[in-house]
Structure formats: structure tokens, C-alpha cells
């Protein structure tokens, strides 16, 4: 298969998935619903900052999921429908970190299941990854920010112990950071994603690469050389090559750049 044919496998307009067919996470215990209190127009006292939780180790990902699904530590808890913890293979060598759940994820309880998630799966499948076996997916924060806004610093900091424990328990060889929020959370990198995407970093003994968020690709559909989609195609080929190197496979990724 030529490079052009492979690249065409991930289309920037993924097929629509009706909401009724979205997969749902198997959560053993539902998160408690926080009681809403009436807002007083006379009370202008600023809301105190939420205390950053102490890093806690969990015996398993099941224990982590249980704790996350009952978490009330940050301002996102009262407005969520579901806590969005994980999907994919818990033994995967590649772990992908997104920003935060969107509407589809909040309804289903699983990360990356909307249009961006469908595109992410197509990108990975275009170089032969099995998204059920080779990949583990999670987010920087586990609850949907209202109106899909960017998570605040206190929200990402409060949720970070869960993320760090997911990394420890899955123990991946490669971590992919989709977008600026996960980039800042893990690497503390303040440069824009366009400046650092496609570069390998070493973090805590693991290989880390920032890549464009799939939602950005959905808004930029050009396939011309130097476009976000073209750059992502170069990145995903480099990721597959590194993965094959790690697992010791002789297979190679076609590096023909014509398409």
C-alpha cells in the first residue's frame, strides 16, 4: 500500500455515530450527586481555592476507577453526568492523554468516543495499531468542564494524581500528549503545540511525544505538505516505527511521503 493510500485511511470527517450506539463505561459504583445550593446575590466572597490532594497510590486500576468515580474534590464534580476514566488495553505500551471529556464522553463515561475519538482511532488504525489492544486512552481531567471549556489549573492539578497513577499502573513505553493541556500537565511545557509536536521527550523513563489534538485536525482538513494533517501523518509513522523498535519487530513503516 502506498503512502497516499495509507494516509487516506484516516478521513477528516469520521462517520457519525448515533448517541444511542455510544459505548458506556462499566462503572461499578455511580458517583454521588452533589446537592446544589441556591446562589445568594449578596454573597460576593470569592470561592476558596480547592486544596491540592496528596498523591495516593492505588493497588489497581479498578481501585483507582472506584475512587475517581466517587471523587468530589474539584468544582467539576457537581456538573458531570459520568466520570470518564479510561478505555483501551490496560497493558498497552502506548498511552494517550487527552484534555478533558466532551459531551459525548460525559454521556458515555468513556474518553475519545465522539468525532475526535473516531478520528483518533482512524489515525492509529492507518498504521496498523489495534485500538483495543495496543492503546490505552485517558484524559488530563476526568470530568467534563461546562460548555467544553479548557480545564482550569486547579482542576488539572486536583485530578493529576489520578493521571499519574494511571501512568504508573499501565506502565506504558510511549505516551502521546494530544493538545496543549496534556502537554503542560505532563511536561510543564509552555510553548505552543505547533512548536513541539512530533518531538520525542524523555519523561520518567518513558518516551513522550506531543501531537495535534484530533479536534484541531477536524478544523484543518488540508492534506498539503506542511498542513496539520500532513504533519500528523509524519508523527504517527514515527510513533509506529518507535513502537516496532521497542517490541523488537522487524516490520518497517513505509516512509514514502508522496500522497
Amino acid at each position: 500500500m502506498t503512502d497516499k493510500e495509507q494516509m487516506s485511511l484516516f478521513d477528516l470527517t469520521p462517520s457519525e455515530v448515533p448517541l444511542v450506539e455510544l459505548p458506556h463505561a462499566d462503572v461499578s459504583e455511580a458517583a454521588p450527586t452533589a446537592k446544589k445550593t441556591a446562589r445568594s446575590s449578596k454573597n460576593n466572597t470569592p470561592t476558596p481555592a480547592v486544596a491540592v490532594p496528596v498523591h495516593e497510590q492505588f493497588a489497581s486500576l479498578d481501585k483507582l476507577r472506584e475512587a475517581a468515580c466517587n471523587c468530589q474534590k474539584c468544582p467539576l464534580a457537581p456538573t458531570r453526568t459520568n466520570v470518564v476514566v479510561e478505555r483501551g488495553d490496560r497493558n498497552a505500551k502506548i498511552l494517550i492523554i487527552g484534555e478533558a471529556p466532551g459531551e459525548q464522553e460525559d454521556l458515555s463515561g468513556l474518553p475519545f468516543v465522539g468525532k475526535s475519538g473516531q478520528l483518533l482511532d482512524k489515525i492509529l488504525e492507518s498504521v496498523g495499531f489495534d485500538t483495543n489492544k495496543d492503546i490505552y486512552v485517558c484524559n488530563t481531567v476526568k470530568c467534563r468542564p461546562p460548555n467544553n471549556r479548557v480545564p482550569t489549573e486547579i482542576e488539572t492539578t486536583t485530578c493529576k494524581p489520578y493521571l499519574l497513577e494511571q501512568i504508573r499502573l499501565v506502565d506504558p513505553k510511549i505516551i502521546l500528549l494530544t493538545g496543549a493541556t496534556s502537554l503542560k500537565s505532563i511536561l510543564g511545557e509552555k510553548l505552543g503545540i505547533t512548536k513541539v509536536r512530533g518531538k520525542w521527550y524523555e519523561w520518567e523513563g518513558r518516551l513522550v511525544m506531543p501531537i495535534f489534538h484530533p479536534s484541531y485536525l477536524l478544523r484543518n482538513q488540508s492534506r498539503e505538505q506542511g498542513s496539520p494533517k500532513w504533519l500528523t501523518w509524519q508523527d504517527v509513522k514515527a510513533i509506529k516505527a518507535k513502537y516496532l523498535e521497542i517490541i523488537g519487530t522487524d516490520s518497517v513503516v513505509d516512509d514514502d511521503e508522496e500522497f
Side-chain angles (χ1 to χ4, degrees):
M1 184 180 294
T2 67
D3 193 62
K4 182 177 181 179
E5 291 170 334
Q6 284 181 297
M7 189 175 181
S8 68
L9 291 177
F10 63 95
D11 195 335
L12 289 181
T13 307
S15 59
E16 295 289 343
V17 175
L19 287 180
V20 293
E21 296 181 9
L22 284 173
H24 285 260
D26 182 16
V27 180
S28 57
E29 186 174 353
T33 302
K35 295 182 179 180
K36 295 183 179 180
T37 57
R39 180 181 297 177
S40 172
S41 59
K42 296 181 180 180
N43 184 7
N44 296 320
T45 305
T47 303
V50 179
V52 176
V54 177
H55 183 59
E56 176 184 0
Q57 288 197 341
F58 295 93
S60 67
L61 285 166
D62 286 333
K63 292 294 184 182
L64 183 150
R65 171 185 283 277
E66 181 181 355
C69 287
N70 288 283
C71 182
Q72 297 289 323
K73 295 176 181 177
C74 91
L76 295 179
T79 61
R80 72 192 179 209
T81 302
N82 285 296
V83 179
V84 180
V85 181
E86 62 182 348
R87 76 172 171 95
D89 190 343
R90 290 178 168 185
N91 297 307
K93 288 183 171 57
I94 298 178
L95 184 148
I96 300 177
I97 304 174
E99 178 179 277
E103 181 181 9
Q104 312 292 345
E105 291 74 22
D106 182 52
L107 291 171
S108 69
L110 293 169
F112 275 110
V113 294
K115 284 188 176 181
S116 291
Q118 293 171 54
L119 178 55
L120 175 65
D121 286 353
K122 285 190 174 185
I123 291 171
L124 296 168
E125 290 166 358
S126 71
V127 291
F129 283 121
D130 184 331
T131 55
N132 293 316
K133 297 179 180 179
D134 300 325
I135 310 294
Y136 179 89
V137 185
C138 59
N139 279 316
T140 304
V141 298
K142 313 307 181 194
C143 301
R144 180 194 179 191
N147 301 315
N148 292 347
R149 64 161 171 74
V150 176
T152 65
E153 184 174 356
I154 191 63
E155 290 161 359
T156 57
T157 302
T158 302
C159 215
K160 191 170 182 178
Y162 294 126
L163 176 60
L164 294 177
E165 275 298 275
Q166 285 178 293
I167 295 172
R168 183 183 71 84
L169 291 165
V170 175
D171 193 24
K173 301 298 183 184
I174 294 173
I175 297 176
L176 305 181
L177 307 176
T178 63
T181 299
S182 59
L183 170 64
K184 184 178 179 180
S185 179
I186 294 299
L187 297 181
E189 182 60 73
K190 295 182 179 180
L191 290 175
I193 190 70
T194 56
K195 301 291 185 181
V196 297
R197 55 125 294 273
K199 296 181 180 179
W200 287 110
Y201 292 79
E202 184 174 359
W203 176 83
E204 299 292 331
R206 309 178 198 281
L207 290 172
V208 177
M209 180 188 284
I211 60 175
F212 287 130
H213 195 285
S215 63
Y216 181 67
L217 300 183
L218 286 169
R219 299 191 300 269
N220 294 271
Q221 300 203 20
S222 171
R223 297 184 181 210
E224 295 301 316
Q225 184 170 341
S227 68
K229 182 177 181 180
W230 184 87
L231 293 171
T232 298
W233 177 233
Q234 311 313 309
D235 295 346
V236 76
K237 288 192 294 181
I239 292 162
K240 183 60 182 290
K242 182 61 67 176
Y243 171 81
L244 294 174
E245 178 185 325
I246 288 172
I247 65 175
T249 299
D250 293 332
S251 302
V252 296
V253 178
D254 184 3
D255 197 37
D256 183 2
E257 296 184 356
E258 292 184 6
F259 59 91

